[in-house]
Amino acid sequence: MELFVDILFNGISFGSVYLIAALGLAIVFGLMGVINLAHGELIMVGAYSTFVTQLLFKEPFLKPFFGSYIIVSIFVAFIFSATVGILLERLIIKRLYGNPLETLLGTWGVSLFLQQFVRSFSLSFGTSVIISIISGVSLKNIFPKSIKERFNEKYIRLSNWIIPIFIGILSNNFLATNIPRIRRPDSRLVDVTSPKWMRGPFEIYGESFPKTRLVIIAITVISVIAVLIFLNLTEWGIRIRAVTQNRSMSECLGISTKKVDTITFGIGSGLAGVAGVAVSLLGSVGPDVGQLYIVPCFMVVVLGGVGNILGTVLASFGIGILTDIFASGRLLTLFPNAPSFVFNTLNFFSTSSMAVVLIFSLIVIFLQFKPQGLFPQKGRTVE
Amino acid sequence: MNLKNLKAKNYIWAIISFLIIIMPFIVSVSRLKILGKSLALGIVALGVDLSWGYTGLLSLGQGIFFTLGGYAIAMYLQLNSSIGLPNFFSLYDVKSLPFFWEPFRSTYFTFFAIWLIPGLLAFLLGYLVFRNRIKGVYFSILTQAALLVFYNGINSQQKLINGTNGLPTPNTKLFGYLVGDPTTQKFFFYITAILLLLSYLFCKWLVSKRFGRILIAIRDDEARVRFSGYNPVVYKTIIFTVAGILAGISGALFTVQADLISPQYLLPPFSIEMVIWVAVGGRGTLIGAVFGAFFVRLFASLVSSAVPGAWLFIQGGLFILVVTVLPQGIVGWMNENGPKTLLIDISLKLDNFEKNFKLLPLPLKNLIKFLVKKSLTFSKKSITYPKLDHAGKEEVEL
Amino acid sequence: MRISRRILAGLATASLAITATSCGGGSGSASFDNEITVGILHSLSGVMSISEKTLVETEKMAIAEINAAGGININGESYKINYFVEDGASNWPLFAEKAGQMIDAGYPVIFGGWTSASRDAMEPVFESKKGFLYYPIQYEGRECSNNIMYTGATPNQQSEPATDFMLNRSEAAGKPFFLVGSDYVFPRTSNSITKAQLKAIGGEWVGEEYLDLSSNEVGPIIAKIKKALPRGGVIINTLNGAQNVAFFKQIQDEGITPENGYYVMSYSIAEEEIKTIGPEFLEGHYAAWNYMMAIDTPASKTFAKNYKKFTKDPDAVVADPQESAYNMVYLWKAAVEKAGTFENAEVRKALVGTTFDAPQGPIEVMPNHHISQKVRIGQVNSEGQFTILETSDDIIKPQTWNQFIKEDKGFACDWTDPVNKGQKYKL
């Protein structure tokens, strides 16, 4: 029984990391058919923004609220990653819709670019670039209508961007003078320290569970529920699903597919940012943190069946539980008296890396039988 | 193509062959190795071009076949130049040779293993995947997953195959000659050049027939090819196998000149990098693949020496460039009169600018006038490069 | 931004040079008779750049110090040291390629490398081209090249005293041992030595686990530790870089802490890593090094102060690998001056027996191209520094062939007699 609880808990906690990391991808890839290889770097943006938020909360004026920084950083990470994602969509992906292979290569280029960006530029600079973009976009909407209507005039549009740039410079100065750690470019790993209340084990009925893992499971569950509510109950969610199902028909019915694309991509990217918060709680934050997750994320989405959130959920928990069973050598504990050949084989695969080998091979084999994943999309195709 | 062009082409070929023949005598061995490695990568690029440029199969797992070829030759060299077990086994207390090393004692077996093992694996993987009609990005993701399977598998097996450290070759012997020796390296350089030429001619022959046209048809509209009575699975499997074989050969040639084969070649960036060589050179043009591999690699090693880190920016930029503004690559661009078109565009823009502002000095004005006049004489050729993947969004019925 | 900084730095040095010449050397700034260029080969990009960049900085600092003190002095002629930095890009085959180029370019010495894999990739190149590599990291031993000078610790200068300490004198004395490492040659070899040693000195060993270098998922390993050590014990940790962060964060969550009787002894956690992981996760755990920033001597303090000044970073820390990198530049200088030439064969002969007053104290080059040095055991405190608990009484001689490994027992290496005793000979 204890073993069962262990496997279930560990499986769910490994799985929830996969799930939160893949959730954004499930939306971007599943609903829009966009292969975003820069998804890992959006996770990285989220992780770095957690780090910066944490440093801000170490400043004297926010110090008393340090315990709650993690909640704030979820929102910050969502907004920052979504901004980068929307920028990416507007600048590059927009031109490549309907060309999945080209999108794949283009986003890979973006991911290389982003990785090197955080190595070569200081965090304060990166943060202020994003801040100025955000303020530029939001300022436009704050202006009174009379000015807004004239926005297409060149000079007003230009002056609209002068203020955000100014804000960016100010915030860069502010960050760089107050937080020396992010003043200079640095490719070193940075530390995200969870607040005291999140550290250590949580004990119940004689079983102890690590609190960080519990928090991550909670973040994941809330995100999944939020996504489901958004997609099924809100107006934009319904529009997104409509565009997913039939793009040209939705367009005929007056849905602005362009806007839908941007919003969908923004939400997917934002969720990658939330995943960044989770990832930063577990391990190190560095320029290549995203590379660790990108391939597993795609496997989860493909295994679950494209365009199906439920499938993604099941696939990630399945992979999580299998990881625990193989990598922690659970089968050895369950069958200590297995014949020596079986025992040796199990032992051979009971490391993290061999578990990856085994699970990925299983997925590749599984997809031979069910190429559409666990929950294939219903419909007719050219085939 | 007119006669003048043909002549120019012949001259270029003569110069290139001459350069290759004299190269070992004019550059140092360490530079020669870099050139030789770049040539070897040209072979794998040919395979990528066949499968991606011609057939539309974007494999992100060519590194698997490349590395297998490299390991085959490295294992052979290690076994045949040490008494007893290769040195590294003693680091991990291994007393007896793992079983799969045994056949690599034989020269004949190794000769076939270098290309047959990658070929067989590519055939198996390709056949299963294509038979089940997994295609497009799913194929890419699947090959990437396979890549990681091999990476984790080899990287974590210290005791079987020296894991992360890989297998070094310079102190080993091939037919009694030291591999790291300058003379041997010169020999490898020539062998690489010859094999590159042979592979190029083979690929050229392959795509020049009806076979090649079917490949392009599969790339542009697979369903229509099937409805016309061809079985795309056969063609795709053949092409993927050929690409695998080429990758294996390339890996072996690369390894003996790189001094080391290691699991690092199984990481995703290397396999995706192969695509950028082909894309920059010109997909769907074999010569573009070879030149792309050669020059991008050379450029990369120059840039990364001068400004470390800048290469990633440039590489990222190249990826974005080739998918947005230059999908046909440099060779494709040249073939389509790209330079002329660009010149026309620029001169027309300048003319427009001048008309609006009237700021430029007289000589420049005249130059622009001349350019515009000249450019109007040859008409602007349209870009006919077909899009790789037609917008086949599946319709869903609920 | 980085590029522009470089250009600025270049301009700054250029303008400095102009002012220096205009002063005519009257201000005591050295003028040199000659120049020599050395090679520096570390990863400036990729995964390992995190660690290796600090070595590049330290090596540059040592070179700047030597130049400021008049450069290298050979037969009355002074040589200014210039350096040429190459990027290995965390790519082992690339290390071999660049090393070959640099030797061909005629640099008399190359300072470089961090991972064992990069050193192993470079070794055949240096041997076949007769170059000379100075390698600054503590490593697994079991090799002895005539073309490499190793200035890091061998296992008997780090892991052996550490194991002895953990078993006999630590807060977890007498408890069972569990070994955790990244999956590559250093942890594997180090752990097989530790196992043999535990057997010899009567310790209990209950398990050993390896994490693949590309993975960050330490969960399964922690599950195994909890199972193997239900009531506390010693964990010997040889994990690498980023994996350490995940490991220490997550063991605390699982209650594997000093308060519960679990003590981790790490061989790759230095001051820099403490900063990255955060001292609150490491407090109370142990590490063993030859140099620690907390060493309370004027030499050590000057070293730390100079490094902060050189990098213009008041928060910078120095650690054992950096000290080792610093020492090797000075050892090379001493050997060259003793030999009276930059010729490799002569310098190699002069190298053995060279001494240097390092920040950690006096060190000496032994005939096996390793150095003799002291060992220190430290416990991480809340300030992110080590509290030094023990310093070995004697200066410990390096054993490149470890005496706890069956095949190596009774062997040694002595390059003063390359024909009979080079690489590996029976004592």
Side-chain angles (χ1 to χ4, degrees):
Chain A
M1 185 59 203
E2 197 197 318
L3 187 74
F4 180 73
V5 172
D6 268 3
I7 292 179
L8 198 67
F9 177 76
N10 284 342
I12 287 177
S13 67
F14 298 158
S16 60
V17 178
Y18 289 131
L19 177 55
I20 186 74
L23 192 61
L25 204 67
I27 290 175
V28 168
F29 177 37
L31 299 184
M32 299 169 75
V34 168
I35 302 289
N36 182 14
L37 280 188
H39 187 76
E41 277 56 46
L42 294 173
I43 294 179
M44 174 195 78
V45 170
Y48 269 109
S49 51
T50 314
F51 173 66
V52 174
T53 317
Q54 173 211 332
L55 288 183
L56 268 177
F57 270 79
K58 279 185 181 165
E59 290 298 300
F61 54 94
L62 285 173
K63 191 119 196 185
F65 311 104
F66 186 75
S68 62
Y69 91 83
I70 210 77
I71 295 159
V72 177
S73 65
I74 290 175
F75 292 100
V76 175
F78 185 91
I79 293 169
F80 273 37
S81 290
T83 310
V84 175
I86 288 172
L87 204 65
L88 169 66
E89 199 266 349
R90 295 268 87 183
L91 291 181
I92 296 163
I93 293 176
K94 190 178 72 175
R95 299 159 201 269
L96 301 170
Y97 281 127
N99 259 339
L101 293 183
E102 314 278 290
T103 319
L104 187 153
L105 295 175
T107 49
W108 174 257
V110 172
S111 95
L112 294 181
F113 186 87
L114 286 177
Q115 277 178 46
Q116 194 53 40
F117 186 89
V118 294
R119 287 199 185 100
S120 303
F121 295 94
S122 69
L123 278 179
S124 60
F125 179 74
T127 316
S128 8
V129 168
I130 297 180
I131 287 178
S132 51
I133 293 170
I134 294 173
S135 54
V137 175
S138 48
L139 266 182
K140 209 159 80 176
N141 299 323
I142 294 171
F143 280 132
K145 221 172 180 182
S146 55
I147 303 181
K148 222 168 126 184
E149 273 165 2
R150 294 169 58 198
F151 247 106
N152 286 337
E153 285 170 30
K154 242 183 211 164
Y155 300 104
I156 293 190
R157 205 196 240 169
L158 201 71
S159 62
N160 176 49
W161 279 103
I162 289 173
I163 302 167
I165 288 170
F166 193 64
I167 293 175
I169 294 171
L170 276 185
S171 65
N172 186 20
N173 281 347
F174 172 78
L175 289 170
T177 45
N178 283 303
I179 313 174
R181 281 201 63 187
I182 58 173
R183 189 186 301 155
R184 57 180 73 218
D186 194 349
S187 63
R188 270 175 278 185
L189 301 177
V190 297
D191 56 309
V192 172
T193 313
S194 37
K196 260 244 153 70
W197 62 267
M198 274 178 59
R199 299 218 294 267
F202 175 77
E203 310 222 348
I204 185 167
Y205 299 123
E207 288 277 331
S208 76
F209 302 104
K211 284 181 191 160
T212 316
R213 293 276 188 182
L214 290 174
V215 170
I216 291 172
I217 293 174
I219 293 176
T220 309
V221 171
I222 292 170
S223 310
V224 172
I225 291 173
V227 166
L228 286 178
I229 289 177
F230 175 78
L231 282 183
N232 291 309
L233 300 180
T234 64
E235 193 183 336
W236 275 108
I238 291 164
R239 281 182 196 163
I240 289 175
R241 285 191 302 140
V243 173
T244 311
Q245 286 170 10
N246 195 328
R247 178 171 288 264
S248 38
M249 186 57 80
S250 325
E251 206 155 351
C252 293
L253 292 176
I255 296 176
S256 160
T257 49
K258 251 190 196 168
K259 221 169 189 174
V260 167
D261 285 337
T262 309
I263 287 178
T264 318
F265 202 84
I267 287 171
S269 313
L271 285 169
V274 178
V277 180
V279 163
S280 71
L281 292 176
L282 282 179
S284 63
V285 178
D288 30 27
V289 64
Q291 292 295 306
L292 286 172
Y293 293 94
I294 184 73
V295 183
C297 282
F298 271 107
M299 293 318 281
V300 166
V301 176
V302 172
L303 180 64
V306 167
N308 192 314
I309 304 285
L310 183 70
T312 310
V313 173
L314 281 182
S316 45
F317 285 143
I319 291 180
I321 288 174
L322 280 180
T323 306
D324 184 59
I325 288 177
F326 291 133
S328 314
R330 302 287 185 193
L331 290 174
L332 294 177
T333 341
L334 274 177
F335 309 107
N337 300 322
S340 74
F341 168 72
V342 178
F343 191 86
N344 286 341
T345 317
L346 287 177
N347 205 14
F348 183 74
F349 282 104
S350 77
T351 65
S352 300
S353 45
M354 288 318 280
V356 172
V357 171
L358 205 58
I359 290 167
F360 275 27
S361 310
L362 284 179
I363 295 175
V364 171
I365 293 169
F366 176 83
L367 290 177
Q368 301 300 325
F369 297 105
K370 292 203 80 169
Q372 303 277 322
L374 287 170
F375 296 96
Q377 241 172 347
K378 280 177 260 169
R380 63 194 155 77
T381 65
V382 206
E383 300 299 300
Chain B
M1 185 174 294
N2 58 32
L3 202 67
K4 207 173 116 200
N5 251 341
L6 201 68
K7 239 182 187 168
K9 245 183 188 169
N10 283 342
Y11 279 127
I12 292 173
W13 279 117
I15 292 170
I16 289 174
S17 340
F18 178 70
L19 276 179
I20 285 178
I21 290 168
I22 62 158
M23 207 41 97
F25 301 102
I26 56 172
V27 296
S28 71
V29 175
S30 60
R31 296 213 183 281
L32 186 72
K33 276 162 129 179
I34 295 179
L35 294 176
K37 280 188 284 185
S38 305
L39 286 183
L41 292 174
I43 300 179
V44 70
L46 280 173
V48 174
D49 197 16
L50 275 188
S51 64
W52 176 54
Y54 280 90
T55 326
L57 308 167
L58 179 58
S59 160
L60 301 181
Q62 289 308 99
I64 300 173
F65 313 118
F66 181 89
T67 318
L68 283 180
Y71 267 101
I73 186 92
M75 281 160 79
Y76 167 76
L77 290 172
Q78 285 271 341
L79 272 182
N80 287 286
S81 35
S82 55
I83 312 145
L85 295 186
N87 272 334
F88 72 87
F89 279 121
S90 76
L91 288 174
Y92 313 104
D93 280 341
V94 178
K95 297 287 182 300
S96 63
L97 200 64
F99 70 96
F100 64 91
W101 279 71
E102 219 44 76
F104 286 94
R105 285 189 195 281
S106 148
T107 312
Y108 294 111
F109 177 83
T110 310
F111 179 76
F112 287 105
I114 287 170
W115 55 275
L116 209 54
I117 292 180
L120 278 177
L121 185 74
F123 171 77
L124 206 70
L125 194 69
Y127 176 68
L128 288 174
V129 169
F130 300 136
R131 195 198 55 179
N132 291 312
R133 297 197 184 169
I134 296 177
K135 55 183 201 177
V137 285
Y138 293 90
F139 173 71
S140 308
I141 294 170
L142 220 60
T143 47
Q144 197 168 38
L147 187 73
L148 279 195
V149 166
F150 275 85
Y151 172 72
N152 281 296
I154 292 183
N155 199 38
S156 65
Q157 293 313 317
Q158 314 289 335
K159 289 185 172 181
L160 295 180
I161 198 151
N162 206 16
T164 330
N165 283 18
L167 301 176
T169 56
N171 286 342
T172 57
K173 282 183 176 152
L174 183 66
F175 306 130
Y177 297 100
L178 196 67
V179 171
D181 194 67
T183 332
T184 329
Q185 287 297 328
K186 283 175 190 170
F187 170 74
F188 285 136
F189 179 78
Y190 285 131
I191 291 279
T192 311
I194 291 168
L195 280 174
L196 175 61
L197 182 69
L198 290 179
S199 325
Y200 172 71
L201 292 176
F202 174 72
C203 294
K204 187 111 189 154
W205 171 77
L206 204 60
V207 297
S208 66
K209 303 275 170 220
R210 174 201 284 268
F211 188 83
R213 287 198 288 281
I214 295 174
L215 296 183
I216 295 176
I218 291 175
R219 175 190 75 190
D220 293 344
D221 196 335
E222 188 178 336
R224 208 173 288 179
V225 173
R226 192 162 43 241
F227 296 151
S228 312
Y230 295 97
N231 184 0
V233 177
V234 176
Y235 292 89
K236 284 158 93 175
T237 311
I238 290 176
I239 233 47
F240 194 56
T241 311
V242 170
I245 289 173
L246 289 174
I249 296 172
S250 161
L253 291 168
F254 185 86
T255 301
V256 289
Q257 298 178 79
D259 300 340
L260 181 72
I261 182 73
S262 91
Q264 287 196 318
Y265 294 111
L266 285 166
L267 286 171
F270 183 64
S271 292
I272 304 186
E273 203 191 323
M274 292 174 187
V275 179
I276 201 69
W277 306 332
V278 177
V280 169
R283 62 183 96 161
T285 61
L286 292 169
I287 199 71
V290 177
F291 279 105
F294 187 78
F295 285 109
V296 173
R297 277 298 284 204
L298 224 53
F299 185 57
S301 76
L302 285 178
V303 170
S304 57
S305 286
V307 195
W311 175 240
L312 274 188
F313 278 133
I314 296 176
Q315 205 187 356
L318 279 179
F319 272 107
I320 297 168
L321 189 81
V322 294
V323 296
T324 49
V325 294
L326 204 65
Q328 68 277 45
I330 290 172
V331 171
W333 185 64
M334 300 283 249
N335 284 347
E336 285 158 11
N337 276 331
K340 275 184 197 164
T341 321
L342 187 71
L343 202 68
I344 296 165
D345 280 351
I346 291 175
S347 55
L348 286 177
K349 283 240 168 74
L350 277 176
D351 190 46
N352 212 4
F353 177 78
E354 171 57 27
K355 271 177 192 153
N356 280 339
F357 293 92
K358 303 195 193 314
L359 286 172
L360 295 177
L362 198 67
L364 272 178
K365 257 182 209 169
N366 288 338
L367 185 70
I368 291 171
K369 260 186 199 148
F370 171 75
L371 282 175
V372 171
K373 211 168 142 194
K374 184 97 184 156
S375 63
L376 289 177
T377 55
F378 43 73
S379 63
K380 197 168 159 182
K381 210 172 168 185
S382 73
I383 292 172
T384 51
Y385 184 80
K387 283 267 190 281
L388 265 188
D389 225 322
H390 57 100
K393 190 87 184 152
E394 292 171 0
E395 286 179 21
V396 180
E397 227 172 47
L398 286 177
Chain C
M1 194 165 244
R2 188 205 274 158
I3 303 165
S4 65
R5 253 205 324 166
R6 269 178 171 227
I7 295 168
L8 279 181
L11 285 175
T13 38
S15 59
L16 271 181
I18 292 163
T19 43
T21 43
S22 62
C23 287
S27 63
S29 70
S31 63
F32 299 96
D33 304 319
N34 235 323
E35 291 193 344
I36 182 80
T37 305
V38 299
I40 294 178
L41 174 53
H42 288 290
S43 301
L44 304 175
S45 54
V47 191
M48 287 308 297
S49 62
I50 298 159
S51 312
E52 293 192 49
K53 272 184 180 168
T54 60
L55 297 190
V56 176
E57 288 297 317
T58 328
E59 284 153 18
K60 284 182 184 170
M61 177 174 97
I63 290 172
E65 280 182 21
I66 292 173
N67 283 340
I72 294 185
N73 201 330
I74 296 181
N75 305 329
E77 282 196 38
S78 61
Y79 283 76
K80 178 174 186 265
I81 311 178
N82 294 324
Y83 51 78
F84 181 72
V85 186
E86 269 281 15
D87 179 15
S90 312
N91 177 335
W92 324 143
L94 195 65
F95 267 97
E97 180 186 312
K98 298 263 157 128
Q101 281 175 21
M102 291 169 97
I103 301 169
D104 284 349
Y107 301 130
V109 63
I110 290 161
F111 304 109
W114 179 297
T115 60
S116 288
S118 68
R119 188 195 63 246
D120 281 353
M122 287 189 283
E123 187 190 319
V125 180
F126 278 94
E127 283 179 351
S128 63
K129 291 185 185 273
K130 313 258 179 298
F132 213 156
L133 171 72
Y134 281 61
Y135 171 76
I137 303 298
Q138 102 282 8
Y139 80 117
E140 64 277 2
R142 307 205 68 185
E143 68 174 60
C144 188
S145 171
N146 202 10
N147 300 73
I148 301 180
M149 168 69 212
Y150 311 81
T151 59
T154 54
N156 76 311
Q157 291 173 324
Q158 190 191 24
S159 80
E160 286 179 27
T163 311
D164 188 55
F165 170 83
M166 290 313 280
L167 183 67
N168 296 320
R169 299 182 298 282
S170 73
E171 289 170 73
K175 286 192 177 164
F177 280 61
F178 192 99
L179 315 179
V180 180
S182 300
D183 201 351
Y184 69 105
V185 65
F186 170 63
R188 289 252 175 201
T189 319
S190 172
N191 284 346
S192 63
I193 294 170
T194 307
K195 279 188 284 180
Q197 190 189 354
L198 283 174
K199 214 172 179 183
I201 61 176
E204 189 194 348
W205 160 70
V206 291
E208 140 180 55
E209 274 304 320
Y210 295 96
L211 184 63
D212 171 65
L213 279 172
S214 64
S215 160
N216 241 357
E217 187 51 273
V218 292
I221 287 185
I222 294 174
K224 285 181 186 171
I225 295 177
K226 272 172 92 177
K227 216 173 74 187
L229 298 174
R231 279 175 302 280
V234 179
I235 299 160
I236 301 281
N237 162 31
T238 37
L239 286 171
N240 225 14
Q243 297 178 330
N244 270 319
V245 186
F247 181 71
F248 280 102
K249 275 187 180 174
Q250 294 183 35
I251 57 172
Q252 196 181 53
D253 283 334
E254 298 270 4
I256 301 182
T257 53
E259 295 89 66
N260 296 343
Y262 294 90
Y263 289 89
V264 182
M265 164 57 93
S266 306
Y267 299 153
S268 330
I269 300 281
E271 287 81 352
E272 182 72 42
E273 284 77 20
I274 301 178
K275 212 169 99 180
T276 314
I277 302 169
E280 55 272 54
F281 293 103
L282 284 165
E283 207 179 332
H285 294 302
Y286 298 98
W289 291 106
N290 305 110
Y291 173 79
M292 287 171 177
M293 197 175 166
I295 293 176
D296 199 10
T297 60
S300 163
K301 288 198 165 143
T302 323
F303 176 55
K305 200 181 80 197
N306 287 348
Y307 185 74
K308 284 177 187 177
K309 212 165 109 191
F310 186 78
T311 53
K312 297 187 190 69
D313 179 4
D315 298 328
V317 290
V318 286
D320 183 275
Q322 281 154 283
E323 193 246 9
S324 200
Y326 178 80
N327 294 345
M328 69 186 182
V329 180
Y330 273 99
L331 286 173
W332 173 74
K333 171 192 180 251
V336 168
E337 286 182 344
K338 200 164 132 194
T341 168
F342 291 106
E343 276 308 308
N344 251 327
E346 297 301 315
V347 176
R348 185 176 296 129
K349 269 185 214 151
L351 187 61
V352 175
T354 308
T355 56
F356 174 57
D357 273 326
Q360 59 163 295
I363 56 171
E364 185 182 352
V365 180
M366 293 284 116
N368 57 9
H369 286 181
H370 290 65
I371 59 175
S372 61
Q373 49 193 347
K374 287 193 171 186
V375 185
R376 294 170 172 86
I377 312 281
Q379 191 169 24
V380 180
N381 57 31
S382 54
E383 278 108 59
Q385 287 288 333
F386 290 112
T387 309
I388 300 178
L389 302 177
E390 257 186 30
T391 305
S392 61
D393 299 332
D394 307 320
I395 292 176
I396 299 180
K397 290 203 167 145
Q399 290 172 355
T400 168
W401 301 105
N402 193 280
Q403 300 305 305
F404 283 109
I405 293 174
K406 220 167 38 191
E407 297 91 25
D408 296 350
K409 195 171 166 55
F411 284 93
C413 165
D414 183 350
W415 285 112
T416 53
D417 182 5
V419 184
N420 298 318
K421 295 181 170 180
Q423 201 162 21
K424 193 173 184 180
Y425 75 99
K426 192 137 186 84
L427 280 167

